[in-house]
Amino acid sequence: MQCHKPGHRAPARCVSALLAAGALLATVADQLGGSSERPAIQAAALGTPMALSPAPMSALLAAGTVRPVEYALSRTQVGAPSPQDRSARPKPAAKPAKGKSAAKPAKSAKGKPASKAAHPKASHPKTTHPKVAHPKVAHPKKTAHPKSASKPRSVTRGRPAPDRHTNAYLLAHLPPAKNPKAAKAVHEALSLLGVPYRWGGTTRAGFDCSGFTQHVWAVAGVKIPRTVRDQARAGTQIPLSKAEPGDLVVFYPTQHHVGIYVGNGLVIDSPHSGTTVRPDPVRSMPVSVVVRVRA
């Protein structure tokens, strides 16, 4: 191996420099993609002939017109790519301009990208099931039981039923008298309710018990005795169970009180001082005799 100076044997320093220059040129050739010139460059740097190198390069080196190191440095520069390498490299993508957003893919009316194809929905045929007609079963109607007229309603339009045991109810539902004169006597007795008791009285100003019964029958057109004992013998005596409206009812064993029977178990009488003509239950006092007046 010879040094770059003609006729000078290369010392160790020159050999090291040549080897370093050859390695550098080989690295540059690798980076620039010049793989076809790498053996020629290494051979030129080391000063050794290369049979596989191109013909022009071998002729120039053999003629001695171009030194190997200068030829390699002139052909290759660090960081400068060849025209072939420049055309082979891919160009970078252009950046979008500032302030303008990249175009977005168009969307369909439903807000989905237009690139997606709408898949039609498969329509399944509906199966119709025939309706089964069930026969209607006729149930017998319930027979309406007639309500008994004898049983009154306990409640009438939200109001409690009247007490059938009160004197007011009994007086409002008195049975009619069979005898017309007895009916007149009962009507007069009912009209005198509330007249005060007066001992020996026989007018509307006041009545005692026998004066009251004598007055009501006198209005009916029948004259009876004045005292209680005489009235007890003024007609036909009958049992209490068969009493009718208009009959005289004499009380107590001594026969000192009398009243007129009006029906529904009531008598109207003028009892004693401090009271008025009023209805009383016939069994509220001991009954001596019941007399049916001869009318």
Side-chain angles (χ1 to χ4, degrees):
M1 181 180 294
Q2 295 180 357
C3 184
H4 62 282
K5 295 181 180 182
H8 182 267
R9 298 297 295 181
R13 183 187 307 173
C14 293
V15 172
S16 299
L18 290 175
L19 291 175
L24 177 61
L25 292 176
T27 303
V28 172
D30 289 339
Q31 292 181 358
L32 299 179
S35 58
S36 60
E37 297 180 358
R38 179 177 179 182
I41 295 173
Q42 291 180 350
L46 298 176
T48 60
M50 184 174 182
L52 298 177
S53 61
M57 181 64 184
S58 301
L60 293 174
L61 292 175
T65 56
V66 178
R67 296 180 181 180
V69 177
E70 291 178 358
Y71 173 77
L73 291 178
S74 63
R75 289 292 305 274
T76 58
Q77 295 179 1
V78 178
S82 62
Q84 296 178 359
D85 296 335
R86 289 178 184 177
S87 60
R89 289 186 181 182
K91 296 182 180 180
K95 295 183 179 180
K98 294 183 178 180
K100 295 182 180 180
S101 59
K104 295 182 179 180
K107 292 185 178 180
S108 61
K110 294 185 178 181
K112 297 181 179 180
S115 60
K116 294 184 180 180
H119 299 282
K121 294 184 179 179
S123 59
H124 300 282
K126 295 183 179 179
T127 57
T128 58
H129 300 280
K131 295 184 179 179
V132 180
H134 298 281
K136 294 184 179 179
V137 180
H139 298 281
K141 296 183 179 180
K142 295 182 180 179
T143 57
H145 299 282
K147 296 182 179 179
S148 176
S150 61
K151 295 182 180 180
R153 297 174 64 183
S154 59
V155 178
T156 304
R157 294 183 181 180
R159 295 176 295 178
D163 189 357
R164 291 174 175 267
H165 301 284
T166 60
N167 293 340
Y169 181 85
L170 295 175
L171 290 174
H173 299 82
L174 293 175
K178 296 180 180 180
N179 191 329
K181 291 184 178 181
K184 288 183 179 180
V186 172
H187 183 270
E188 181 64 17
L190 292 173
S191 66
L192 296 177
L193 291 174
V195 175
Y197 175 87
R198 181 177 285 184
W199 185 82
T202 56
T203 63
R204 287 181 175 270
F207 298 100
D208 61 7
C209 62
S210 58
F212 171 71
T213 54
Q214 184 186 34
H215 171 78
V216 297
W217 272 106
V219 172
V222 179
K223 187 178 180 180
I224 62 175
R226 170 71 177 82
T227 63
V228 176
R229 288 182 181 181
D230 293 339
Q231 290 180 4
R233 293 183 291 268
T236 305
Q237 295 182 359
I238 59 174
L240 181 61
S241 60
K242 295 183 179 181
E244 294 180 0
D247 293 342
L248 297 176
V249 182
V250 180
F251 297 97
Y252 301 106
T254 57
Q255 298 182 347
H256 64 271
H257 186 60
V258 67
I260 183 172
Y261 186 77
V262 294
N264 290 338
L266 293 178
V267 294
I268 296 178
D269 61 337
S270 184
H272 50 80
S273 299
T275 61
T276 60
V277 177
R278 69 187 185 186
D280 284 322
V282 70
R283 297 185 181 277
S284 62
M285 297 169 285
V287 177
S288 175
V289 66
V290 177
V291 178
R292 183 160 294 168
V293 178
R294 300 182 184 95

